[in-house]
């Protein structure tokens, strides 16, 4: 991914974007043809390494590309918003602000026990805090056994990260504050989140 120097994120920041936006795009190649699946992932750090674990449908042909594949790409999309040039002091063209992470890694298919552990973790994360949440232990074992026949689990060890935070860093404080003010007027949560991120980056200088 092309990233001008001023927009590059540190790996630690990128991992937080991945964890906050775990519904990613999984991309592999099969016989020179790119394959892609939109998929929720569990992101974890272990002894200095980063892993993404998930599962896809058994009928998804992309599963064949996940067995010992060292060239896998995950794309995570963070907050983003259209930025109108009418908000600037001087005449300029409009743009789009965004957070995005491209994570490259090596994939392997995981065992049934590893898949169960992954599903258990994911259910606890998304259901554990809910009233009457459905965690692994609350399901009929026969139902789980049947459903697991329809999926294939995988793990990707992240080996390289490219992350961009293009958030109007090139604008002066006056324009920067105007962008935040206009975005905060929006009813769109994405635009409000961009404004929140921008305000945090220049806390103290634009108050």
């Amino acid at each position: 991914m092309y990233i001008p120097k001023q927009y590059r994120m540190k790996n630690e920041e990128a991992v937080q974007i991945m964890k906050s936006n775990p519904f990613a795009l999984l991309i592999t190649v099969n016989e020179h043809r790119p394959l892609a699946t939109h998929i929720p992932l569990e992101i974890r750090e272990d002894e200095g390494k980063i892993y993404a674990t998930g599962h896809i449908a058994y009928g998804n042909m992309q599963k064949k590309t996940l067995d010992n594949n060292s060239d896998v790409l995950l794309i995570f999309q963070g907050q983003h918003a259209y930025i109108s040039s009418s908000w600037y002091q001087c005449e300029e063209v409009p743009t789009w602000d965004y957070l995005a992470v491209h994570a490259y890694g090596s994939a392997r298919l995981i065992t049934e026990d590893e898949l169960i552990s992954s599903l258990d973790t994911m259910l606890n994360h998304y259901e554990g805090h809910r009233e009457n949440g459905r965690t692994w232990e609350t399901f009929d074992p026969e139902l789980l056994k049947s459903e697991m026949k329809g999926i294939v689990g995988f793990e990707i060890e992240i080996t390289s990260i490219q992350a961009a935070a293009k958030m109007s860093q090139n604008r002066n404080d006056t324009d920067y504050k105007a962008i935040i003010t206009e975005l905060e007027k929006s009813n769109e949560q994405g635009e409000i989140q961009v404004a929140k991120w921008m305000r945090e980056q220049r806390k103290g200088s634009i108050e």
Side-chain angles (χ1 to χ4, degrees), residues 2-204:
Y2 170 67
I3 312 174
K5 187 175 181 179
Q6 62 185 326
Y7 300 142
R8 294 174 189 167
M9 271 193 287
K10 296 178 180 178
N11 277 9
E12 309 87 77
E13 297 172 310
V15 172
Q16 291 308 309
I17 297 298
M18 293 163 65
K19 289 181 177 180
S20 300
N21 302 273
F23 192 71
L25 183 60
L26 167 66
I27 301 174
T28 56
V29 175
N30 183 45
E31 297 180 353
H32 309 292
R33 181 181 176 85
L35 302 174
T37 300
H38 298 267
I39 192 168
L41 297 168
E42 173 204 349
I43 308 299
R44 77 178 195 281
E45 299 175 77
D46 186 13
E47 297 184 351
K49 295 183 178 181
I50 306 165
Y51 298 91
T53 307
H55 59 274
I56 60 176
Y58 185 84
N60 188 334
M61 296 306 294
Q62 193 174 16
K63 71 182 181 185
K64 296 181 178 180
T65 68
L66 296 174
D67 190 14
N68 297 317
N69 184 346
S70 60
D71 291 304
V72 176
L73 170 61
L74 295 171
I75 297 179
F76 299 82
Q77 178 67 65
Q79 302 96 309
H80 60 93
Y82 175 78
I83 307 300
S84 171
S85 56
S86 67
W87 303 338
Y88 302 153
Q89 286 180 299
C90 301
E91 185 175 16
E92 290 275 3
V93 295
T95 190
W96 206 286
D97 280 358
Y98 62 88
L99 300 175
V101 177
H102 288 191
Y104 298 84
S106 299
R108 69 177 181 89
L109 298 180
I110 58 178
T111 66
E112 181 176 314
D113 286 344
E114 289 175 311
L115 176 56
I116 290 174
S117 177
S118 172
L119 294 171
D120 183 30
T121 298
M122 190 169 286
L123 282 170
N124 281 329
H125 179 76
Y126 291 106
E127 293 282 343
H129 63 285
R130 302 178 189 277
E131 185 177 358
N132 301 317
R134 300 306 305 273
T135 55
W136 185 266
E137 297 80 10
T138 68
F139 282 99
D140 180 346
E142 290 303 314
L143 172 63
L144 294 174
K145 183 177 180 181
S146 174
E147 291 295 321
M148 283 187 61
K149 292 179 181 178
I151 59 176
V152 176
F154 63 87
E155 178 184 80
I156 299 170
E157 180 182 339
I158 306 302
T159 55
S160 175
I161 292 177
Q162 297 176 354
K166 179 187 174 298
M167 289 291 200
S168 296
Q169 295 96 321
N170 60 322
R171 309 309 308 183
N172 59 43
D173 283 348
T174 300
D175 284 349
Y176 195 89
K177 186 174 182 178
I179 293 169
I180 292 173
T181 298
E182 294 299 327
L183 290 174
E184 288 177 337
K185 294 177 182 178
S186 174
N187 293 321
E188 296 292 333
Q189 277 302 308
E191 295 182 356
I192 293 172
Q193 288 301 312
V194 168
K196 181 179 179 181
W197 193 95
M198 290 177 62
R199 186 176 289 282
E200 186 67 25
Q201 299 309 303
R202 290 197 192 178
K203 185 184 297 184

